[in-house]
Amino acid sequence: MERNNERENQAPSAKNVLVILGEGFEDAEACVLVSALRWTEYRPHLAEVNVVVTGLRPVVRGWFGTVYETDIALEDADPADYDAVVVPGGFKSRGYEELYDERVLSIVRAMNEQGKPIVTLCVGVFVIGEAGALEGRRATVYELSANKDNLACLRGYGAIPTHERVCVDGNLVSCTGPAASEEVAALLLDMLVGKEQAAEVERFRLGLGALP
């Protein structure tokens, strides 16, 4: 309670991030983003980033065994309540493409219309494409899928494919896969709370101490 009081008295307004998980999500992508954002609660003088997990079911399972209980039902997630949305990638064979559900796509469209950060990892960018929000925009994706030409899929959504590890086009962030998760997490923190605060959180998370 003492720490909460300190935050209420000193910290800037909190930010809220909606993380949308599909069955068979890529475990590392989800875990790294959720963990990095939640480390803000240990810097009470800085803005806290509240992470809210949602999906199409009460419990969502990752490909490698990670399990998340959703914090809110998908139909109860109001885009107006969130400052950013995160869509980690996943595996089609485990049901990931359930995220092409219209309830998910409507959230993406609303967030995009409001110019809020839309952060995707790996094939999560295809959810953005299904929402019709990739037309004319630069984007990147995991390129080594065995049965799918992912770059061709990006072109099919009207996007301009790149080979960048992390690609930023306005409010849209895409990346090539789990290896870029740390970089994407740091970038999203920067977008939410600014470079100085994001750098302090990152240094504290890595055990390097606060900036001098």
Side-chain angles (χ1 to χ4, degrees):
M1 184 64 69
E2 181 177 336
R3 188 182 67 183
N4 289 339
N5 288 339
E6 183 182 357
R7 181 177 292 281
E8 290 174 2
N9 292 333
Q10 299 179 21
S13 299
K15 302 294 184 179
N16 299 310
V17 175
L18 186 67
V19 177
I20 306 179
L21 297 180
E23 192 74 358
F25 64 84
E26 210 295 329
D27 302 52
E29 294 172 0
C31 292
V32 168
L33 265 292
V34 170
S35 174
L37 295 175
R38 284 182 168 160
W39 267 86
T40 57
E41 69 179 87
Y42 294 103
R43 311 308 294 148
H45 59 290
L46 302 182
E48 184 174 5
V49 177
N50 300 314
V51 178
V52 177
V53 175
T54 191
L56 278 76
R57 58 193 76 223
V59 176
V60 190
R61 293 171 172 80
W63 174 259
F64 300 110
T66 303
V67 176
Y68 275 99
E69 293 184 4
T70 53
D71 300 309
I72 189 173
L74 189 60
E75 53 270 24
D76 294 330
D78 184 349
D81 294 336
Y82 299 96
D83 300 286
V85 63
V86 175
V87 186
F91 296 83
K92 178 181 178 180
S93 60
R94 285 292 178 92
Y96 176 78
E97 290 184 352
E98 69 181 12
L99 288 191
Y100 296 173
D101 184 285
E102 179 57 31
R103 289 170 292 177
V104 175
L105 305 185
S106 65
I107 290 173
V108 170
R109 293 188 195 105
M111 300 286 277
N112 188 53
E113 288 170 3
Q114 296 166 29
K116 296 176 179 178
I118 297 174
V119 176
T120 71
L121 299 100
C122 193
V123 296
V125 71
F126 294 153
V127 177
I128 314 308
E130 290 288 327
L134 284 185
E135 185 72 38
R137 307 183 76 174
R138 298 170 61 255
T140 192
V141 69
Y142 183 76
E143 296 185 32
L144 301 181
S145 295
N147 301 310
K148 196 172 185 179
D149 184 341
N150 286 342
L151 291 178
C153 288
L154 282 181
R155 286 190 287 271
Y157 288 122
I160 303 167
T162 80
H163 297 286
E164 296 171 88
R165 176 184 171 91
V166 176
C167 179
V168 180
D169 188 318
N171 64 319
L172 174 65
V173 178
S174 56
C175 76
T176 54
S181 299
E182 292 277 357
E183 185 177 347
V184 170
L187 178 60
L188 178 54
L189 269 175
D190 188 348
M191 296 170 80
L192 290 170
V193 301
K195 288 185 181 298
E196 185 175 335
Q197 291 193 26
E200 179 172 339
V201 172
E202 187 67 4
R203 286 180 61 84
F204 187 77
R205 188 169 73 92
L206 298 175
L208 301 177
L211 290 170

